[in-house]
Amino acid sequence: MKPVFITANNIISPLGFTSEDNIIQIEKDKSGIVLQDNIGALPCYASIINDELLNSAFKQIGSPESYTKLEKMMMLSLQDTIMKTDFSISDRTALVIATTKGNIDVLNTKTSNFSPDRAYISILGEKIRNFFGFDNEPIIISNACVSGILSVAVAKRLIQNNFYDNAFIVAGDIVSEFTLSGFQSFQAISEKPCKPYSKHRNGITIGEAAAAVAITNQNNSKHSIQIIGDGSHNDANHISGPSRDGEGLFLSIQSAMEEAEIAPSNIDYISAHGTATLYNDEMETIAFNRAKLENVPLNSLKGYYGHTLGASGLLESIIGLHSMKNNMLYTSLGMDELGVSMPLNVIQKKKKAEIKVCLKTASGFGGSNTAVLFKKLTLEK
Amino acid sequence: MKNNLNIVAYCSIKNHVVALNGIPLITKDHDLTFSEFSKEVYKELKMDYSKFFKMDDQCKLAILISEILFNHIKIDSKNKENIAIVLSNRSASLNTDRKYQETISNKENYYPSPAVFVYTLPNITIGEICIKHKIKGENVFFVSEAFNATLLKQYASCLFQNKKSKQILCGWIDFDDDQYQAFLYLVSEHGNRKFNQKSIKKIYNENIWMH
């Protein structure tokens, strides 16, 4: 099978509009989560992109009035990634789009200036395709909270099997009253900024972001990251509750490791999902222990961004890539006292460490789970 | 790259007709609402699955069509566990999204329900099939403007070539504004119908548009 590499990337978040700006903030343990008083019925913590900053950045490439907030975020993210990529868009380039809820805010006709039909995700896909002039129909993945990381596996598999030579992936989701009220109805929202894996955790904090990457079968840079394995398995247990034995996540990790032909001891860092609900973090802990990964340094980035739904898996993979390049294990923000039933090596304070192999995982509603393995290659001169 | 995948069987539900391998299996009165129609099909299949009645319409459609297909294809539980599911549609979960939006639109009558909210994700259809049939294989849900035979074929080939799964359940399950279409097919090495873009498109068109 052809090797597939992940190259240029971008993050649009409250912490910055490039991956590098985001990393600068993460190095300072700075979070995008602040108290908001205009989303739902009551004030709550969330990580939200400032509209004025977004519009002023978007003006460089298009008319802010013509596009929804999510479209602007995703287009800006893709624009920066395309600019930084050494291949150009051709009929062998896939456009892969990942989102959990798309333009869901347009369903509220009292607040939205756009037609409710804009909620069709295929319309969002066409807007992005036409904006950049992609030849191919977009490949859109809407698979709950694993969408972002699953899109990496999908693009890699299509390129490996020679259906495409390269791909641009863009993932995004916004904070809306729709999702906030839904998680509130589940009593899943934390009163304070979320605290993944902590004894004091009591739910998620929501956030919004867009992220984009370029994926290619050509390896032109001296330091490159290869996608070496993936898996996406179902728990077959419950549509909203995390599995008790972590089965789907365990199977996903096993599948990725078998493909990559590596042992647990070869993994240097795990970028986990860590939503900070009681049951999710416990489920992940069980799966990581079953996979003999309990000693591998691990973090959840939800303390910086909140849960950005379909964007989270791609956004967190990008931070993972920069962790590998910088050989830095970043703080799992919000972690104080471990509050899960089995051992887990949560990174309490950022530190230098050689990272050659990174495991990214995510889990979501519908019993979905995904694991992807990344490997850093350093070519001889 | 060559693979030897074939279509094992296919099923469709549209316009009050359930067809298996292109032959009508159950036909109901066109005046029935989807709720009435789905209940009659459920009874006819002699199902005993109380969770069915808690589901949204799109998941009901997914459960009925997968039940018919798995009644027809006998697979032992070990092989069934590893089946991959690749589903797609146009409307994601918009039919239920609109219903959920109604529960939060009016501040005087604000009643967001977790039982509705959980169905505001298209891949819940995959989750429900997995629970019903104890399937723990690969999953993905694609959204496209129209049925994309090429993408489903390519991705099924990827799952097979990458040794992720030997049997792949693919299809289109869409419920939008009370219009519904479901089309599901299983591919593996053991089928007897040719598996390529043309053959999928042909059986999709025959089943979705002809009756």
Side-chain angles (χ1 to χ4, degrees):
Chain A
M1 288 258 163
K2 282 184 184 176
V4 177
F5 305 92
I6 185 162
T7 61
N9 55 77
N10 169 278
I11 296 170
I12 301 288
S13 85
L15 295 184
F17 288 179
T18 64
S19 299
E20 292 71 21
D21 284 349
N22 275 266
I23 290 291
I24 289 168
Q25 299 303 321
I26 284 182
E27 286 200 337
K28 294 184 207 156
D29 288 354
K30 190 168 181 305
S31 173
I33 298 171
V34 289
L35 192 63
Q36 311 278 344
D37 52 13
N38 57 357
I39 341 163
L42 294 166
C44 77
Y45 282 94
S47 174
I48 292 182
I49 296 169
N50 180 290
D51 283 324
E52 280 170 37
L53 288 178
L54 182 69
N55 285 335
S56 106
F58 191 80
K59 264 184 204 146
Q60 311 294 320
I61 61 167
S63 154
E65 295 77 32
S66 307
Y67 299 100
T68 65
K69 183 171 193 182
L70 179 65
E71 289 161 3
K72 284 181 274 198
M73 287 158 52
M74 292 175 86
M75 286 169 176
L76 269 176
S77 193
L78 201 47
Q79 171 76 18
D80 186 43
T81 305
I82 291 170
M83 296 288 287
K84 288 174 177 163
T85 306
D86 58 6
F87 59 84
S88 50
I89 297 168
S90 76
D91 61 354
R92 295 283 296 165
T93 305
L95 167 61
V96 181
I97 295 174
T99 183
T100 300
K101 289 311 307 165
N103 285 318
I104 194 66
D105 53 338
V106 303
L107 287 190
N108 187 342
T109 48
K110 285 177 203 154
T111 54
S112 169
N113 298 324
F114 295 91
S115 153
D117 278 353
R118 200 83 162 221
Y120 283 95
I121 301 174
S122 53
I123 295 182
L124 169 74
E126 277 308 298
K127 294 279 173 201
I128 296 173
R129 176 193 185 179
N130 294 337
F131 191 87
F132 296 101
F134 280 91
D135 296 315
N136 294 308
E137 186 185 331
I139 296 164
I140 303 174
I141 295 154
S142 185
N143 211 97
C145 299
V146 309
S147 304
I149 185 63
L150 181 55
S151 65
V152 175
V154 169
K156 171 231 174 211
R157 290 166 176 179
L158 289 167
I159 293 170
Q160 268 181 322
N161 286 277
N162 208 27
F163 295 117
Y164 296 94
D165 290 334
N166 47 52
F168 285 100
I169 307 178
V170 61
D173 268 298
I174 47 160
V175 169
S176 65
E177 191 187 7
F178 188 102
T179 46
L180 177 64
S181 65
F183 283 118
Q184 279 169 338
S185 77
F186 266 98
Q187 298 183 310
I189 299 281
S190 174
E191 285 159 32
K192 299 238 173 86
C194 65
K195 298 175 77 64
Y197 309 108
S198 158
K199 197 177 173 179
H200 310 290
R201 74 184 184 277
N202 71 344
I204 69 168
T205 299
I206 54 171
E208 61 189 14
V213 295
I215 301 216
T216 167
N217 58 16
Q218 298 295 313
N219 181 18
N220 297 326
S221 76
K222 208 177 100 201
H223 301 284
S224 59
I225 308 276
Q226 188 184 345
I227 307 161
I228 56 171
D230 48 34
S232 183
H233 286 257
N234 201 285
D235 291 324
N237 171 65
H238 196 278
I239 51 167
S240 58
S243 129
R244 281 169 197 274
D245 55 5
E247 180 75 356
L249 180 54
F250 172 72
L251 292 173
S252 304
I253 295 169
Q254 293 299 110
S255 170
M257 283 175 42
E258 265 172 42
E259 180 185 344
E261 296 179 336
I262 61 164
S265 59
N266 299 123
I267 297 175
D268 302 306
Y269 160 57
I270 303 170
S271 173
H273 192 49
T275 61
T277 68
L278 280 179
Y279 295 111
N280 172 78
D281 293 7
E282 181 63 23
M283 179 281 287
E284 284 182 51
T285 305
I286 292 166
F288 290 134
N289 275 268
R290 282 179 68 184
K292 301 194 177 1
L293 292 168
E294 67 274 15
N295 295 321
V296 180
L298 163 154
N299 62 15
S300 158
L301 298 166
K302 302 293 188 292
Y304 299 90
Y305 295 106
H307 190 349
T308 56
L309 309 180
S312 63
L314 193 62
L315 184 165
E316 293 160 7
S317 293
I318 294 170
I319 303 295
L321 305 184
H322 289 266
S323 296
M324 294 172 91
K325 281 187 179 160
N326 302 340
N327 285 316
M328 276 296 289
L329 294 166
Y330 295 110
T331 312
S332 192
L333 207 60
M335 174 62 191
D336 38 32
E337 215 177 327
L338 189 67
V340 286
S341 69
M342 288 174 158
L344 209 56
N345 183 6
V346 183
I347 305 159
Q348 297 252 18
K349 201 170 182 321
K350 69 165 190 278
K351 56 187 165 214
K352 276 266 174 199
E354 171 75 21
I355 311 171
K356 283 184 186 150
V357 175
C358 160
L359 169 67
K360 173 70 202 130
T361 67
S363 303
F365 277 3
S368 56
N369 301 273
T370 302
V372 174
L373 281 162
F374 299 98
K375 185 181 183 182
K376 180 168 65 183
L377 306 173
T378 307
L379 293 183
E380 302 298 324
K381 275 186 188 168
Chain B
M1 205 174 295
K2 268 206 102 50
N3 65 51
N4 304 312
L5 286 176
N6 295 296
I7 297 170
V8 180
Y10 58 95
C11 185
S12 67
I13 305 181
K14 162 116 195 201
N15 288 341
H16 298 77
V17 180
V18 179
L20 179 66
N21 295 329
I23 299 158
L25 187 73
I26 302 171
T27 305
K28 295 286 169 193
D29 191 335
H30 280 236
D31 297 335
L32 298 181
T33 63
F34 178 78
S35 168
E36 294 162 339
F37 166 72
S38 61
K39 208 168 167 180
E40 293 223 348
V41 176
Y42 174 94
K43 276 192 211 156
E44 199 138 328
L45 295 173
K46 298 189 172 58
M47 288 179 72
D48 179 16
Y49 195 62
S50 58
K51 277 183 197 166
F52 179 80
F53 298 100
K54 291 183 189 167
M55 294 176 193
D56 77 344
D57 290 333
Q58 192 158 284
C59 286
K60 283 181 177 168
L61 199 53
I63 286 294
L64 292 177
I65 196 166
S66 56
E67 190 72 12
I68 294 158
L69 207 61
F70 286 125
N71 280 346
H72 176 69
I73 314 162
K74 299 293 173 221
I75 308 171
D76 64 66
S77 59
K78 191 68 213 153
N79 282 318
K80 209 171 176 182
E81 196 175 286
N82 296 322
I83 290 176
I85 305 185
V86 180
L87 292 187
S88 59
N89 76 7
R90 174 171 183 267
S91 66
S93 56
L94 266 176
N95 204 59
T96 300
D97 293 356
R98 293 186 193 105
K99 286 181 185 156
Y100 181 78
Q101 182 66 40
E102 275 174 36
T103 71
I104 58 166
S105 284
N106 189 342
K107 291 286 164 279
E108 277 74 55
N109 190 19
Y110 195 81
Y111 56 98
S113 148
V116 181
F117 182 67
V118 71
Y119 286 102
T120 63
L121 295 164
N123 64 302
I124 298 294
T125 51
I126 297 177
E128 292 286 17
I129 295 174
C130 286
I131 293 168
K132 176 73 177 68
H133 296 280
K134 299 187 172 60
I135 294 171
K136 296 177 182 172
E138 282 276 339
N139 287 178
V140 65
F141 200 102
F142 292 117
V143 174
S144 53
E145 181 59 30
F147 179 70
N148 188 341
T150 309
L151 175 61
L152 297 190
K153 195 254 159 197
Q154 290 178 343
Y155 196 65
S157 303
C158 289
L159 290 173
F160 186 80
Q161 292 294 348
N162 288 25
K163 299 188 172 59
K164 298 297 177 185
S165 196
K166 288 184 169 177
Q167 302 181 89
I168 303 121
L169 185 68
C170 304
W172 173 271
I173 295 179
D174 195 74
F175 197 108
D176 190 8
D177 259 343
D178 296 327
Q179 296 293 310
Y180 62 89
Q181 297 191 347
F183 175 59
L184 201 62
Y185 55 98
L186 184 79
V187 296
S188 85
E189 290 168 294
H190 308 298
N192 53 16
R193 293 174 186 85
K194 228 184 186 163
F195 176 62
N196 56 40
Q197 271 123 266
K198 260 190 196 157
S199 65
I200 303 165
K201 208 150 193 160
K202 185 166 174 284
I203 58 171
Y204 168 80
N205 285 332
E206 282 170 5
N207 281 273
I208 292 297
W209 305 116
M210 294 305 188
H211 52 72

